Amino acid sequence: MAGIALSGVTKSYGGQSVINGVDLDIHDGEFLTLVGPSGCGKSTTLRIIAGLETQSSGDVSIDGVSVNETRPSLRDLAMVFQSYALYPHLTVRQNLMTPLRLRDLSFWERFPLLGHLLPSRRAKMAQIEKEVQIVSETLKIEPLLARKPGQLSGGQRQRVALGRAMVRNPAAFLMDEPLSNLDASLRVHMRAELSALHKKLKTTFIYVTHDQAEALTMSDRIAVMMDGDLLQLGSPEEVYQNPQDIRVAEFIGSPKMNILPGHCDEFGHITCAGLNLDGVLANPAPGPVSVGLRPEHLTLTDAGAAQSLSGKLTYKENLGSDVFFHITQEDSESAIIIRAQPLAVTPQKPGDTLHCAPVPGKPLVFGTDGRRLDFNQVASSGEPA
């Protein structure tokens, strides 16, 4: 196992900056996910850790030792690619054995004819076979050992790719969107398997994905990247509940957070869409702000209820376990999404006027620069606490 640290890492291609001074400490044995939209620099960051790309500046260290000049093969890291990268002409058993043969056998022991006559080779091959068998049992792929990759399903190929990484017993696993080629139901199944595998191996996992569901369900911590910047690092719960940047707030969560225009007065009181929010900014600066409300933090209310929003229902999503209402206010083109439980829903139809109110204490406030503002509760008198 290994702790991995990036310090001031940048990467540019010509005049185009891809990574802008990333600082990141990955704890020994943790499952850390780099998540963000396509082109944000997450895969490039992973390849820099692996040594497949060279950073323009900054340092990469493993267990406190700089590996800037260390070849990828000597970093003791195992990479699992999106395309699986299996040898199509070899069986599953041979694919699993290949990294161990390259690591443990000498040149002469790998020689096609002469190598089989060397006594040292027989002992090493017996150990390689044993390690392949252990990994096969762990991943439950023993029945597949005689097959070739072309005879396997996507999920089976993914297990074999994981097994080929596991047999080396690396210091850390690096995974670049390994589930993106699988169908939706198989992705859900493989997420559970990867989480269980991490708990069993207790090895550092660094996982790259643009799928926030994968990041939220599997990770110990999430690193959210956009436009080459590391915007926020924290547990899935922290990143979801307390986003520190409006871009993180909108990216993490499905459906995405509702962002409404608001205004801050000289006392730090916030008004938004005709509502006076129960809070006050710690450091008020009069002017425009943005107010974030997740769909589950809006509740349906009756007409005329105090502190409520209203709008026309434009679209209704019934997902079985949840119902999402998309409403549009008269003075706004952007929709507000409300999450409701099916049992609490009456037959609404597009064109109906719906009313909703924010759950107290849940609105988030962001400044004009997109950074989260400190929004505190206020005393019942309405004066700043």
Side-chain angles (χ1 to χ4, degrees):
M1 295 190 291
I4 298 172
L6 281 67
S7 178
V9 169
T10 68
K11 179 65 178 179
S12 299
Y13 295 100
Q16 181 67 41
S17 179
V18 178
I19 301 176
N20 309 316
V22 167
D23 295 305
L24 180 61
D25 285 320
I26 302 165
H27 302 154
D28 186 5
E30 83 167 325
F31 195 128
L32 181 130
T33 299
L34 296 170
V35 64
S38 298
C40 70
K42 56 188 185 297
S43 290
T44 302
T45 301
L46 193 75
R47 292 175 63 85
I48 287 173
I49 294 172
L52 302 177
E53 296 273 2
T54 302
Q55 65 269 31
S56 300
S57 64
D59 296 300
V60 178
S61 61
I62 300 176
D63 273 345
V65 179
S66 175
V67 293
N68 293 340
E69 306 299 326
T70 304
R71 294 170 52 190
S73 59
L74 301 178
R75 295 192 182 192
D76 195 21
L77 303 174
M79 191 92 168
V80 180
F81 295 95
Q82 177 180 352
S83 61
Y84 315 131
L86 301 175
Y87 298 109
H89 61 291
L90 300 181
T91 65
V92 169
R93 183 187 302 276
Q94 291 168 332
N95 267 282
L96 295 178
M97 293 173 64
T98 297
L100 296 179
R101 287 167 58 94
L102 294 173
R103 185 190 69 184
D104 298 340
L105 301 183
S106 67
F107 171 79
W108 291 111
E109 288 168 341
R110 294 197 301 268
F111 205 77
L113 298 177
L114 180 61
H116 291 269
L117 303 177
L118 299 176
S120 58
R121 184 184 190 276
R122 286 193 290 273
K124 291 179 180 179
M125 285 302 297
Q127 181 60 32
I128 289 174
E129 289 277 5
K130 180 180 178 181
E131 292 178 13
V132 166
Q133 187 62 34
I134 291 173
V135 168
S136 300
E137 292 172 358
T138 300
L139 295 175
K140 298 180 175 59
I141 56 174
E142 305 103 303
L144 310 178
L145 291 176
R147 300 187 193 179
K148 291 186 177 179
Q151 299 171 301
L152 305 178
S153 67
Q156 290 170 336
R157 292 183 193 180
Q158 189 57 70
R159 286 191 184 91
V160 175
L162 284 170
R164 192 176 60 181
M166 284 173 58
V167 292
R168 293 177 45 203
N169 192 25
F173 290 89
L174 311 182
M175 303 184 182
D176 191 4
E177 304 203 43
L179 307 184
S180 61
N181 289 334
L182 306 181
D183 60 57
S185 61
L186 189 53
R187 280 202 304 271
V188 173
H189 177 70
M190 287 301 297
R191 289 205 303 258
E193 289 205 354
L194 278 175
S195 296
L197 181 63
H198 173 254
K199 290 179 175 63
K200 183 173 184 178
L201 297 179
K202 297 181 173 62
T203 306
T204 305
F205 276 38
I206 307 174
Y207 189 98
V208 161
T209 184
H210 64 273
D211 187 335
Q212 55 173 291
E214 292 180 11
L216 290 169
T217 55
M218 295 192 295
S219 315
D220 295 321
R221 289 192 300 162
I222 297 174
V224 184
M225 294 188 68
M226 289 190 187
D227 300 323
D229 296 316
L230 178 57
L231 298 183
Q232 187 168 350
L233 175 65
S235 68
E237 295 79 10
E238 178 185 351
V239 172
Y240 184 82
Q241 299 291 348
N242 294 299
Q244 298 303 307
D245 189 286
I246 196 169
R247 292 173 290 175
V248 176
E250 291 187 284
F251 183 77
I252 299 295
S254 180
K256 73 175 187 176
M257 179 180 284
N258 299 298
I259 302 296
L260 306 176
H263 185 271
C264 173
D265 68 16
E266 59 183 317
F267 299 108
H269 298 144
I270 303 295
T271 57
C272 169
L275 302 180
N276 297 312
L277 300 185
D278 268 342
V280 63
L281 289 180
N283 299 293
V289 295
S290 296
V291 176
L293 281 164
R294 294 210 179 274
E296 64 268 28
H297 296 154
L298 287 166
T299 57
L300 293 174
T301 62
D302 296 326
Q307 292 293 90
S308 66
L309 300 166
S310 62
K312 295 289 186 182
L313 177 62
T314 57
Y315 181 53
K316 178 179 177 180
E317 289 182 278
N318 190 339
L319 303 182
S321 60
D322 295 296
V323 177
F324 293 99
F325 296 103
H326 298 241
I327 69 171
T328 303
Q329 295 180 288
E330 292 183 2
D331 56 348
S332 175
E333 295 182 358
S334 59
I336 298 174
I337 303 175
I338 308 164
R339 178 182 178 182
Q341 296 295 317
L343 294 178
V345 173
T346 56
Q348 296 93 349
K349 59 184 183 297
D352 289 352
T353 298
L354 299 186
H355 306 271
C356 63
V359 175
K362 294 301 184 180
L364 306 179
V365 181
F366 301 90
T368 54
D369 61 354
R371 299 300 297 169
R372 173 84 172 274
L373 300 177
D374 190 2
F375 189 51
N376 301 318
Q377 294 296 312
V378 295
S380 59
S381 65
E383 293 303 317

